[in-house]
Amino acid sequence: MIPAAFDYVRAGSAEEAIKLLGEYGDEAKLLAGGHSLLPLMKLRLATPPVLIDVGRIGELSYIRDAGKEVAIGALTRHRDLEVSDLLQREVPILAHTASLVGDPQVRHRGTLGGTIAHGDPASDLPAVVLALGGTLVAQGPGGERTIPATEFFQGFLETALAPDEVLTEVRVPKVAGAGWSYQKFNRRAQDWAIVGVAAIRNGTTGVALVNMGTTPVRATAVEQALAGGAAAADAAAVAADGTEPTADLNASVEFRQHLARVLVRRALEEAAP
């Protein structure tokens, strides 16, 4: 389908993008790689009157060592995550999962900040950032603020970003030497995950689920079971507890719950120290 008519404005900096958001208000949407927003526009599920293109703001594309964390600019492409020596060494689950996103075309255009800000519960990378206990940095007219990933995803395609804020950076803790696993079940390699699981075992265990609710969700029942000394298989048995998966053409609620238990068990066993 053809998107509804819209005006197009290109921002040359994060500050200019914030100014434009303030000028156009709720009518504007930010455009980075476009792989999240444009499909919705083609289906007329989103009809923003104004697109603010931030895709060429080079200052927001980087992967940097930030002490105990790795700082990643919001406009860093999935392909850059995939091949980053720093991520492969310090946060290998993020580099690995980036290599599983879509196909090469998507990975060369899509951005980490775009997929995080879009907040799609079927996306791979938001769940990884959630399992890692990452932090999101937003910039607006009032300055900069940091938002824990656990507080960022608030509803279906809804996040904690204010209408006049821009996501500028993603920070994830270094987990070199930790056990980790990303498990994903889909019909074709480039498809969205029917269910996915990100697991980090680094003293404590972080587990996050893909497509098991209206947002990416922490598998808190699994984490609590492991903290209480449960074996991987026993902890995985409660993987669907507290989740609210939906049924669609790909899977029923019951099938998604089954997949969550199976994939969490596999992830915990692979990530075992």
Side-chain angles (χ1 to χ4, degrees), residues 97-172:
T97 305
S99 74
L100 304 178
V101 174
D103 54 28
Q105 180 180 358
V106 170
R107 293 195 292 275
H108 278 84
R109 292 294 302 167
T111 64
L112 177 60
T115 192
I116 296 289
H118 188 54
D120 192 328
S123 293
D124 302 294
L125 294 172
V128 174
V129 173
L130 189 59
L132 285 165
T135 303
L136 295 313
V137 181
Q139 186 175 340
E144 184 178 279
R145 68 183 180 114
T146 58
I147 309 167
T150 51
E151 300 174 9
F152 188 77
F153 305 105
Q154 298 189 339
F156 183 66
L157 305 184
E158 295 181 0
T159 71
L161 282 176
D164 57 355
E165 284 185 320
V166 175
L167 180 65
T168 57
E169 187 174 85
V170 178
R171 299 173 184 168
V172 291

Side-chain angles (χ1 to χ4, degrees), residues 54-219:
V54 297
R56 301 188 188 186
I57 302 177
E59 66 192 69
L60 295 183
S61 178
Y62 56 83
I63 303 172
R64 298 172 182 162
D65 191 318
K68 294 182 179 181
E69 298 176 311
V70 175
I72 306 167
L75 293 183
T76 304
R77 310 288 180 180
H78 301 322
R79 174 62 178 171
D80 295 329
L81 303 175
E82 178 184 355
V83 301
S84 166
D85 291 337
L86 178 60
L87 286 179
Q88 290 175 4
R89 182 174 67 252
E90 301 291 355
V91 197
I93 187 174
L94 191 57
H96 171 73
T97 305
S99 74
L100 304 178
V101 174
D103 54 28
Q105 180 180 358
V106 170
R107 293 195 292 275
H108 278 84
R109 292 294 302 167
T111 64
L112 177 60
T115 192
I116 296 289
H118 188 54
D120 192 328
S123 293
D124 302 294
L125 294 172
V128 174
V129 173
L130 189 59
L132 285 165
T135 303
L136 295 313
V137 181
Q139 186 175 340
E144 184 178 279
R145 68 183 180 114
T146 58
I147 309 167
T150 51
E151 300 174 9
F152 188 77
F153 305 105
Q154 298 189 339
F156 183 66
L157 305 184
E158 295 181 0
T159 71
L161 282 176
D164 57 355
E165 284 185 320
V166 175
L167 180 65
T168 57
E169 187 174 85
V170 178
R171 299 173 184 168
V172 291
K174 294 179 179 179
V175 289
W180 60 272
S181 178
Y182 186 75
Q183 300 287 328
K184 178 179 180 177
F185 184 87
N186 51 12
R187 297 186 183 278
R188 299 175 301 172
Q190 67 268 34
D191 284 349
W192 299 101
I194 295 175
V195 173
V197 177
I200 303 289
R201 306 196 73 172
N202 189 27
T204 58
T205 302
V207 182
L209 304 175
V210 177
N211 231 350
M212 285 297 290
T214 56
T215 68
V217 294
R218 288 287 289 260

Side-chain angles (χ1 to χ4, degrees), residues 181-184 195-199 201 205-210 212 217-219 221-223 226 231-241 243 256-272:
S181 178
Y182 186 75
Q183 300 287 328
K184 178 179 180 177
V195 173
V197 177
R201 306 196 73 172
T205 302
V207 182
L209 304 175
V210 177
M212 285 297 290
V217 294
R218 288 287 289 260
V222 174
E223 295 173 349
L226 290 170
D234 294 331
V238 297
D241 290 12
T243 64
R256 280 200 163 92
Q257 292 171 333
H258 168 73
L259 285 175
R261 291 188 286 268
V262 171
L263 295 179
V264 167
R265 177 181 55 78
R266 292 178 182 175
L268 293 178
E269 290 173 351
E270 184 174 46

Side-chain angles (χ1 to χ4, degrees), residues 1-13:
M1 293 181 64
I2 305 299
F6 58 88
D7 291 331
Y8 172 88
V9 184
R10 181 183 296 170
S13 66

